[in-house]
């Protein structure tokens, strides 16, 4: 078939239409690809997220021990600062991480974050009073900002597209492992010894990252083609033909430029992904799951459960289990369905918890086992998608030049919301009651699910280059006045009807057809054998 001078293979079109996958195979070479090295690199970055999880879970597990320590005995305001100050440090770290990642690399940024985190734990463990504990939490939070911004970028740039979903979910799995470690340490040990246990997670991260290479994308961004090829060779093995992939990476880099101008973040090809990523960060922080991470024991005690410390451990196990399930599902069902389902589950159960708590406060029956069941269901639903999908998509949606700065902006925004939620919660709880807190966050969860259904695209099985190409084409269509989205395309996103398939096949039989874009199929100019299904955006 010939369309506007572009030759395309109709067989490839038919296969692409029926499978829903892009016809491009640049990132799926026929040669045998080595997997274990890619997994090792991603595990090194994911362990860093485990260290972040330990920082986040420490307050949920050790806060009762800290409050019962006669030498410390923090006030309500001091408790709020102990919990939330790490988010302020993470905001500063996230703001610095974008420039640092571009200057020294994603891997080096992770390596620099580890000793900073260990210094924060040392300050906390040896602290004689509340101000030093707050300082230690701030330093630890500063390190988490570096790790949160760089680990997802490192992961997405180190593995091929068929592994990227699972590997990008590994940080969430390790994050929940770190949270469980902190919960268990808080239940079994004093808050000081728990600091030592949590600090140990930095050591394996350093040992692994020392032996893995920098990401090929960053090396190419710095015009170090030979080192980029060597990194790819280390990651994917010596039997792969890397030249086509390197050329594709270079072409996409050249289309944007190797040096980031801040106005690139508001360029149409970057603005839409940025707004999507910021919405997902907001949904993650405001749907209510975060409260159950940081104030686990407090929520249990307020709801009348007698053994709050042990219940926090159960909560950590539920998080870990749900994160493992998410890891298995993310490349099967996709990012978007997981996010929709996760926020809907969290919102629905939180509203139910609000009714239960309101009934209990009005003199209704108090059931000791019901709070833990409801919280376990909520955190399981949260970890199914809301915990991981925003981080995965924020590392996938941007082009190589803007990726580090955009990811740092998302981290800054995420940690800012996190700090606001953590700082406000104790006063919100005291002033309005736990039932109102649950009602508000539950409604936000349901609203987030609806907006995700209407707006967020699917990136499953797409290479980073294909995702970049897609947004560039959508931006070009918008600039030319061609609609790129409609509500109807959301409902037809998952299924192509027989009529649509027949229309596409009839178009492929016509020799000269003007180039046009629909909500389902478009032809990329200048590229042979690559008709791509427009099912990634509404």
């Amino acid at each position: 078939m010939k369309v506007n001078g572009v030759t395309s293979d109709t067989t490839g079109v038919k296969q692409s239409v029926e499978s829903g996958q892009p016809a491009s195979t640049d990132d799926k070479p026929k040669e045998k690809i080595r997997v274990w090295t890619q997994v090792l690199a991603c595990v090194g970055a994911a362990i860093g997220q485990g260290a972040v999880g330990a920082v986040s879970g420490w307050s949920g597990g050790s806060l009762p021990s800290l409050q019962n320590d006669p030498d410390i005995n923090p006030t309500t305001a001091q408790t709020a600062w102990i919990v939330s100050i790490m988010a302020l440090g993470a905001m500063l770290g996230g703001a610095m991480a974008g420039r640092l990642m571009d200057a020294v690399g994603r891997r080096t940024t992770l390596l620099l974050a580890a000793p900073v985190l260990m210094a924060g734990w040392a300050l906390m463990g040896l602290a004689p009073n509340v101000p030093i504990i707050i300082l230690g939490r701030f330093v630890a939070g500063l390190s988490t900002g570096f790790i949160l911004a760089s680990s997802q970028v490192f992961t997405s740039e180190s593995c091929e597209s068929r592994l990227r979903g699972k590997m990008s979910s590994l940080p969430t799995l390790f994050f929940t492992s770190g949270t469980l470690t902190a919960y268990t340490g808080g239940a079994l040990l004093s808050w000081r010894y728990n600091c030592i246990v949590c600090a140990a997670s930095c050591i394996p991260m350093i040992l692994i990252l020392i032996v893995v290479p920098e990401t090929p994308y960053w090396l190419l961004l710095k015009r170090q083609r030979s080192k980029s090829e060597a990194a790819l060779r280390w990651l994917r093995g010596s039997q792969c033909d890397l030249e086509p992939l390197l050329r594709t990476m270079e072409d996409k880099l050249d289309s944007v430029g190797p040096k980031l101008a801040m106005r690139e973040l508001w360029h149409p090809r970057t603005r839409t992904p940025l707004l999507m990523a910021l919405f997902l960060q907001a949904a993650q922080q405001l749907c209510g799951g975060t409260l159950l991470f940081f104030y686990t024991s407090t929520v249990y005690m307020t709801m009348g459960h007698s053994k709050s410390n042990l219940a926090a451990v159960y909560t950590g196990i539920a998080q870990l289990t749900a994160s493992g399930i998410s890891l298995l599902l993310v490349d099967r069902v996709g990012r978007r369905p997981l996010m929709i389902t996760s926020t809907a589950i969290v919102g629905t159960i939180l509203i139910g918890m609000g009714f239960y708590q309101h009934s209990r406060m009005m003199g209704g029956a108090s059931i000791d086992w019901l709070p833990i069941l409801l919280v376990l269901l909520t955190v399981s639903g949260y970890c199914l998608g809301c915990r991981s999908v925003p981080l995965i998509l924020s590392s996938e949606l941007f082009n190589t030049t803007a990726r580090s700065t955009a990811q740092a902006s998302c981290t800054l925004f995420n940690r800012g919301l996190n700090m606001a939620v953590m700082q406000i919660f104790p006063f919100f709880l005291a002033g309005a009651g736990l039932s109102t807190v649950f009602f508000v966050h539950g409604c936000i969860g349901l609203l987030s699910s609806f907006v995700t259904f209407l707006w967020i695209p699917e990136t499953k099985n797409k290479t980073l280059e294909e995702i970049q190409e897609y947004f560039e084409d959508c931006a070009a269509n918008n600039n030319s006045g061609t609609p790129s989205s409609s509500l109807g395309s959301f409902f037809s996103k998952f299924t192509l009807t027989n009529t649509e398939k027949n229309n596409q096949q009839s178009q492929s039989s016509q020799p000269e057809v003007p180039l046009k874009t629909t909500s389902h199929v478009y032809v990329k100019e200048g590229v042979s054998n690559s008709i791509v299904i427009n099912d990634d955006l509404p």
Side-chain angles (χ1 to χ4, degrees):
M1 178 180 71
K2 192 175 182 181
V3 182
N4 277 13
V6 179
T7 302
S8 180
D9 182 8
T10 57
T11 303
V13 174
K14 183 177 180 181
Q15 292 174 348
S16 178
V17 170
E18 292 179 350
S19 66
Q21 304 301 332
S24 173
T25 58
D26 288 345
D27 201 30
K28 301 173 184 177
K30 295 179 181 179
E31 296 86 352
K32 184 177 179 181
I33 298 176
R34 190 165 62 196
V35 173
W36 72 267
T37 46
Q38 299 179 61
V39 173
L40 179 65
C42 295
V43 166
I47 292 174
Q49 286 271 11
V52 176
V55 177
S56 301
W58 181 86
S59 60
S62 292
L63 210 53
S65 171
L66 184 68
Q67 291 170 330
N68 293 328
D69 189 331
D71 296 329
I72 304 297
N73 193 24
T75 64
T76 299
Q78 288 175 330
T79 299
W81 276 109
I82 289 172
V83 174
S84 63
I85 193 64
M86 65 154 289
L88 181 61
M91 288 173 61
L92 180 60
M96 298 166 58
R99 295 294 185 183
L100 190 62
M101 278 191 285
D102 281 340
V104 302
R106 287 73 158 121
R107 168 181 166 270
T108 306
T109 301
L110 285 168
L111 285 171
L112 291 175
V116 178
L117 181 54
M118 296 180 77
W121 283 121
L123 282 171
M124 292 167 59
L126 299 174
N129 51 44
V130 171
I132 301 301
I133 294 176
I134 294 175
L135 176 62
R137 290 279 288 175
F138 176 81
V139 173
L142 181 71
S143 175
T144 65
F146 292 137
I147 295 172
L148 286 170
S150 55
S151 61
Q152 291 289 155
V153 175
F154 179 87
T155 299
S156 66
E157 293 184 351
S158 295
C159 60
E160 55 186 309
S161 60
R162 69 188 177 96
L163 298 175
R164 199 175 61 243
K166 289 185 175 65
M167 293 300 101
S168 295
S169 296
L170 273 180
T172 299
L173 187 66
F174 276 84
F175 179 95
T176 54
S177 300
T179 304
L180 177 59
T181 300
Y183 286 166
T184 306
L188 301 177
L189 304 170
S190 72
W191 65 271
R192 291 186 187 275
Y193 285 110
N194 197 18
C195 292
I196 299 174
V197 172
C198 294
S201 60
C202 299
I203 298 174
M205 179 180 76
I206 295 173
L207 296 177
I208 293 177
L209 290 177
I210 285 176
V211 301
V212 304
E214 184 55 78
T215 71
Y217 284 88
W218 182 82
L219 293 169
L220 208 58
L221 188 68
K222 294 301 180 181
R223 300 303 187 188
Q224 300 178 28
R225 194 181 194 278
S226 59
K227 290 185 178 180
S228 177
E229 183 176 359
L232 273 175
R233 188 76 62 192
W234 191 93
L235 289 166
R236 303 197 183 185
S238 58
Q239 299 182 21
C240 293
D241 181 11
L242 301 176
E243 192 60 32
L245 178 58
L246 283 168
R247 284 200 301 268
T248 301
M249 292 164 61
E250 286 176 321
D251 290 343
K252 290 304 167 189
L253 183 59
D254 291 339
S255 70
V256 180
K259 187 175 182 180
L260 173 71
M262 290 306 295
R263 63 178 178 270
E264 169 64 26
L265 293 180
W266 210 243
H267 190 283
R269 67 189 169 204
T270 311
R271 180 178 62 225
T272 298
L274 180 62
L275 292 176
M276 289 178 176
L278 292 178
F279 159 74
L280 290 168
Q281 306 299 321
Q284 183 194 73
Q285 292 299 323
L286 299 178
C287 75
T290 304
L291 293 175
L292 302 179
F293 285 162
F294 284 84
Y295 288 101
T296 310
S297 298
T298 302
V299 169
Y300 278 127
M301 287 188 292
T302 306
M303 293 184 72
H305 188 72
S306 57
K307 299 178 180 179
S308 58
N309 275 357
L310 191 58
V313 177
Y314 297 153
T315 304
I317 295 173
Q319 294 175 32
L320 185 62
T321 303
S323 298
I325 295 173
S326 176
L327 177 72
L328 298 175
L329 292 179
V330 68
D331 278 333
R332 291 179 178 270
V333 303
R335 288 76 155 141
R336 181 174 176 269
L338 283 181
M339 186 67 184
I340 294 170
T341 304
S342 176
T343 47
I345 291 173
V346 171
T348 302
I349 299 178
L350 279 178
I351 291 175
M353 291 169 66
F355 281 115
Y356 167 76
Q357 181 66 10
H358 178 73
S359 173
R360 202 175 71 85
M361 291 294 100
M362 297 299 293
S366 179
I367 306 172
D368 191 56
W369 56 265
L370 188 57
I372 187 170
L373 175 63
L374 292 174
V375 172
L376 291 179
L377 290 174
T378 305
V379 298
S380 297
Y382 181 80
C383 290
L384 188 65
C386 197
R387 180 68 190 86
S388 58
V389 170
L391 303 178
I392 296 173
L393 287 179
S394 65
S395 67
E396 290 181 334
L397 295 178
F398 303 105
N399 60 63
T400 302
T401 302
R403 189 172 295 127
S404 58
T405 300
Q407 180 73 13
S409 301
C410 290
T411 301
L412 177 65
F413 181 70
N414 182 291
R415 295 295 92 186
L417 285 177
N418 182 267
M419 180 179 179
V421 170
M422 295 304 99
Q423 185 70 21
I424 291 171
F425 173 74
F427 303 99
F428 192 13
L429 175 63
L434 190 59
S435 60
T436 303
V437 174
F438 286 154
F439 283 135
V440 170
H441 287 286
C443 290
I444 293 174
L446 292 179
L447 179 62
S448 300
S449 180
F450 182 68
V451 175
T452 301
F453 174 75
L454 290 182
W455 190 31
I456 302 301
E458 181 58 71
T459 60
K460 181 183 71 171
N461 293 334
K462 302 294 189 292
T463 66
L464 296 177
E465 291 74 29
E466 287 168 343
I467 296 170
Q468 176 183 340
E469 229 172 77
Y470 187 82
F471 283 111
E472 289 174 351
D473 288 336
C474 288
N477 290 337
N478 285 335
N479 291 336
S480 64
T482 304
S484 64
S485 64
S486 65
L487 185 60
S489 67
F490 287 105
F491 296 97
S492 60
K493 181 177 293 187
F494 302 105
T495 306
L496 281 175
T497 65
N498 291 330
T499 302
E500 290 167 333
K501 290 183 181 180
N502 292 335
N503 289 341
Q504 292 164 359
Q505 291 171 357
S506 64
Q507 288 176 3
S508 68
S509 64
Q510 298 176 8
E512 291 289 343
V513 181
L515 177 65
K516 65 178 182 178
T517 301
T518 72
S519 63
H520 296 294
V521 179
Y522 64 89
V523 180
K524 296 184 288 187
E525 294 185 7
V527 181
S528 177
N529 300 329
S530 56
I531 292 184
V532 180
I533 304 304
N534 189 5
D535 64 352
D536 280 358
L537 280 180

